[in-house]
Amino acid sequence: AQFDTSNPSRYESLLADAFGLLGFEVDHLGGPGKPDVILIGKLGSNSYTVVVEAKTCKKDNVVSLVQVNYGSINDHKEEYTADYAVMIAAKYAGGKLVDHAIKNRVGMITTDTLISILRQHDQFPFSIDELRCLFEIEGFDESIKDKLFRISAKHKHYLELTTLILNIFEELQRQQDVSESISNNALYLLLLDRAQKEQMLTPERSQ
């Protein structure tokens, strides 16, 4: 769909579905004078709105400056009182396209990056607040995917620790006729010993 320049609405629709899976409230608009997709990250008083500009291009080509109307994107941001604007495409030209994106505070994400994030989200879901960093970038920043992957790894680590703690409590209860309280320090030492045996990341006391 990202290479189907004759039917950009198809790509827009797929992007809308993708962000819906990530937990956003989505409105696929498209058409002349309208943003392609509007996202709302529901966080109460900290909710945020994103204008999404979807750009198709021919296979083996890139999205260039002549294909992007930054004035229109800014108009959409103002009309929908959006906090962020992001462009999504298969590939981008560098140079002035990125310079103008930075100047206009527009983020640039590739389809492949979004797919990778969806795969991570399927394993350990990101919160709407954690996904905000996707839209805080200005211009093109490949490190954003790595940042979210680190967050996903932390989720996995916390899940492993939680499972480990539950297993420890179950073992202690089996060993004792009467359940007794266990100090935080003793629990930490037990966790440390078990984590080392199972080659897990060493838990910090603050966790």
Side-chain angles (χ1 to χ4, degrees):
Q2 62 185 334
F3 302 121
D4 188 359
T5 55
S6 64
N7 186 16
S9 180
R10 181 166 162 248
Y11 183 50
E12 295 165 11
S13 180
L14 288 173
L15 291 180
D17 290 344
F19 282 109
L21 291 172
L22 289 173
F24 290 93
E25 186 175 294
V26 179
D27 193 2
H28 176 203
L29 300 173
K34 296 180 180 180
D36 296 329
V37 181
I38 293 291
L39 310 177
I40 299 178
K42 292 284 190 177
L43 287 171
S45 60
N46 293 318
S47 296
Y48 59 92
T49 303
V50 185
V51 168
V52 177
E53 184 78 1
K55 290 296 179 185
T56 58
C57 63
K58 293 291 187 181
K59 196 169 184 177
D60 298 325
N61 284 356
V62 295
V63 171
S64 62
L65 182 59
V66 296
Q67 294 173 258
V68 183
N69 186 337
Y70 286 106
S72 178
I73 295 174
N74 286 328
D75 288 343
H76 296 327
K77 278 185 68 177
E78 184 176 350
E79 181 181 356
Y80 289 86
T81 59
D83 302 280
Y84 308 104
V86 66
M87 183 163 39
I88 305 179
K91 293 181 181 179
Y92 298 100
K96 290 185 178 181
L97 176 67
V98 178
D99 292 341
H100 279 71
I102 294 172
K103 182 180 178 180
N104 289 277
R105 302 178 65 186
V106 176
M108 301 166 68
I109 301 173
T110 64
T111 311
D112 285 346
T113 292
L114 184 58
I115 290 171
S116 295
I117 292 168
L118 281 166
R119 287 173 176 161
Q120 288 293 321
H121 182 77
D122 186 55
Q123 296 178 32
F124 297 97
F126 297 108
S127 69
I128 290 296
D129 191 40
E130 288 168 339
L131 289 169
R132 186 193 293 266
C133 66
L134 261 180
F135 313 110
E136 291 177 330
I137 59 174
E138 296 173 2
F140 188 67
D141 185 357
E142 291 182 342
S143 69
I144 192 65
K145 182 167 64 174
D146 294 332
K147 181 176 181 178
L148 283 169
F149 280 10
R150 287 193 295 271
I151 292 173
S152 181
K154 186 178 290 186
H155 288 175
K156 182 180 179 181
H157 179 49
Y158 285 156
L159 180 61
E160 289 173 342
L161 283 179
T162 301
T163 302
L164 198 55
I165 290 170
L166 291 174
N167 288 339
I168 288 172
F169 277 122
E170 286 178 2
E171 288 179 14
L172 288 173
Q173 287 179 339
R174 284 198 299 267
Q175 293 170 10
Q176 300 173 146
D177 293 333
V178 179
S179 178
E180 298 177 0
S181 62
I182 181 171
S183 68
N184 289 338
N185 187 58
L187 179 59
Y188 173 74
L189 292 174
L190 285 168
L191 275 172
L192 186 62
D193 178 66
R194 187 67 61 84
Q196 290 173 343
K197 287 179 180 178
E198 299 190 15
Q199 297 183 327
M200 290 172 54
L201 289 174
T202 303
E204 298 177 2
R205 286 183 182 272
S206 61
Q207 293 177 325

